[in-house]
């Protein structure tokens, strides 16, 4: 872990997406943060010692899925599958599907096709031990953090650390995307979602620390995999002092408000973007970027890292 000396910074951005606004001053205390996302081999050590079963591996309760044939309720997770050609980018269901049997061990399912497997390991632990673990829900990430004697970072902590001391910069390394022509982050190269030429040879996740670290010596704080934080998602930032809600009731109110319409599952803020982020669709491989994700979700592009009080 690396100790991050806290202080004030400008959180958010006015340049890109509405949920990153408004830019406001936020202050974080000193804390420690993992140098890189938790890897498959690190997560395997946790599972081996504790016998933990991830959400994606657990049986599904028919009561949670009214009207669905029980035979279709097979454990698994969301799997990215490239399309055959250009599609309407407003419809994400064209490249995401439910992967029966998909889990952190087999991110694309136990019988992933060659086309799917190019974006992730068929056997994550054997084939790619130093890649970030994926197909982990918020509950899974929290359980690992508790086992390790750590916790998950807040959104403000993650963004502060990802900036690497460059307050207000567009990217984790500055304002220029390709300094000296160099690719600085594992993100989609090509035309999304059907043609990926690979980032420095990687289509899908890359081993942690493959790309340059930021000013604090942290790696993969943008790109590679999205990462869980503890904050409930809001459609835009709520600067400190703006929302006058009773402190004791606030967490419950925020949890309920964070859920998608018609759902009771809270959503958390993901930070950092992933290898699927493409400038023509999702320019979110930036410190200010954020994305909502339901607590029970597990996908092929979401991982996490741990924090600890200084």
């Amino acid at each position: 872990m690396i100790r991050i000396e806290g202080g004030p910074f400008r959180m958010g951005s006015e340049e890109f997406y509405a949920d990153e606004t408004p830019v406001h001053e936020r202050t974080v205390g000193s804390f420690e943060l993992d140098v890189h996302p938790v890897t498959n081999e690190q997560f395997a050590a946790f599972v081996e010692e504790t016998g933990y079963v991830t959400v994606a591996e657990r049986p599904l309760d028919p009561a949670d899925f009214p009207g669905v044939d029980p035979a279709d309720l097979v454990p698994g997770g969301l799997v990215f599958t490239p399309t055959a050609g250009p599609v309407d980018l407003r419809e994400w269901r064209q490249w995401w599907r439910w992967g029966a049997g998909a889990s952190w061990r087999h991110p694309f399912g136990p019988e992933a096709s060659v086309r799917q497997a190019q974006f992730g390991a068929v056997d994550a632990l054997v084939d790619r031990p130093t890649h970030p673990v994926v197909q982990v829900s918020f509950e899974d990430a929290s359980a690992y953090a508790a086992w390790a004697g750590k916790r998950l970072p807040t959104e403000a902590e993650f963004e502060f650390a990802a900036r690497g001391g460059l307050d207000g910069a567009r990217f984790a390394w500055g304002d220029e995307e390709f300094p000296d022509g160099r690719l600085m982050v594992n993100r989609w190269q090509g035309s999304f979602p059907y043609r990926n030429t690979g980032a420095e040879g990687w289509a899908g996740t890359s081993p942690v620390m493959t790309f340059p670290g930021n000013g604090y010596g942290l790696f993969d704080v943008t790109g590679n995999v999205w990462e869980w934080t503890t904050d409930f998602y809001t459609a835009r930032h709520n600067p400190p002092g703006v929302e006058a809600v009773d402190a004791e009731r606030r967490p419950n109110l925020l949890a309920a408000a964070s859920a998608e319409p018609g759902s009771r599952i809270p959503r958390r803020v993901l930070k950092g973007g992933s290898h699927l982020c493409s400038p023509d669709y999702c320019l979110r491989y930036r410190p200010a970027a954020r994305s909502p994700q339901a607590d029970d979700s597990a996908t092929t592009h979401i991982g996490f890292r741990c924090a600890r009080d200084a």
Side-chain angles (χ1 to χ4, degrees):
M1 303 187 84
I2 287 182
R3 180 185 172 97
I4 308 295
E5 299 297 338
F9 75 108
R10 286 175 293 164
M11 187 173 185
S13 172
E14 303 282 351
E15 288 189 84
F16 298 96
Y17 301 99
D19 66 350
E20 299 171 19
T21 64
V23 174
H24 61 284
E25 185 172 289
R26 188 71 68 94
T27 299
V28 298
S30 298
F31 64 102
E32 295 179 342
L33 191 66
D34 285 348
V35 171
H36 56 70
V38 172
T39 64
N40 287 311
E41 61 184 359
Q42 288 176 314
F43 197 79
F46 157 63
V47 171
E48 182 177 356
E49 181 172 314
T50 64
Y52 183 83
V53 178
T54 63
V55 170
E57 298 171 291
R58 301 173 194 170
L60 302 180
D61 186 349
D64 294 333
F65 302 90
V68 178
D69 185 344
D72 294 333
L73 297 179
V74 180
L78 287 174
V79 170
F80 173 79
T81 305
T83 60
V87 295
D88 186 347
L89 295 181
R90 293 172 296 183
E91 184 44 73
W92 59 268
R93 290 176 179 83
Q94 295 178 97
W95 54 86
W96 285 105
R97 67 172 183 83
W98 181 255
S103 70
W104 72 273
R105 297 177 188 275
H106 303 284
F108 285 76
E111 299 178 359
S113 70
V114 173
R115 185 161 173 77
Q116 294 160 5
Q118 67 176 310
F119 292 92
V122 173
D123 188 323
L125 184 56
V126 173
D127 298 335
R128 299 189 174 181
T130 60
H131 286 231
V133 65
V134 295
Q135 292 289 12
V136 285
S137 69
F138 179 78
E139 179 182 333
D140 303 331
S142 299
Y144 175 96
W147 169 78
K150 305 176 184 180
R151 59 176 174 79
L152 297 182
T154 66
E155 179 183 7
E157 286 175 333
F158 193 101
E159 183 167 332
F160 181 85
R163 292 185 177 280
L166 299 178
D167 191 24
R170 180 175 297 169
F171 299 104
W173 55 88
D175 288 322
E176 184 181 348
E177 182 168 1
F178 300 100
D180 299 322
R182 184 178 186 183
L183 179 65
M184 300 292 288
V185 62
N186 181 359
R187 55 95 155 168
W188 188 279
Q189 304 288 303
S191 301
F192 187 84
Y194 62 95
R195 182 175 63 86
N196 187 2
T197 59
E200 297 296 318
W202 299 100
T205 59
S206 53
V208 297
M209 304 176 73
T210 296
F211 292 82
N214 73 355
Y216 291 152
L218 298 167
F219 292 82
D220 298 305
V221 284
T222 57
N224 213 357
V225 291
W226 283 102
E227 300 187 37
W228 289 106
T229 74
T230 58
D231 284 60
F232 292 112
Y233 179 77
T234 54
R236 53 190 277 117
H237 286 305
N238 292 319
V242 169
E243 199 171 32
V245 178
D246 179 73
E248 191 171 310
R249 294 172 57 232
R250 180 182 171 90
N252 292 333
L253 292 174
L254 290 178
S258 72
E260 285 189 288
S263 172
R264 296 175 297 173
I265 307 299
R267 293 185 297 173
R268 309 280 173 161
V269 175
L270 301 178
K271 295 291 282 185
S274 80
H275 61 276
L276 297 182
C277 284
S278 172
D280 58 353
Y281 173 66
C282 170
L283 208 163
R284 287 189 166 92
Y285 42 94
R286 299 171 292 103
R290 55 206 301 267
S291 182
Q293 193 70 42
D295 281 10
D296 62 348
S297 294
T299 77
T300 49
H301 72 332
I302 298 176
F304 69 100
R305 78 179 72 204
C306 300
R308 185 165 58 198
D309 293 339

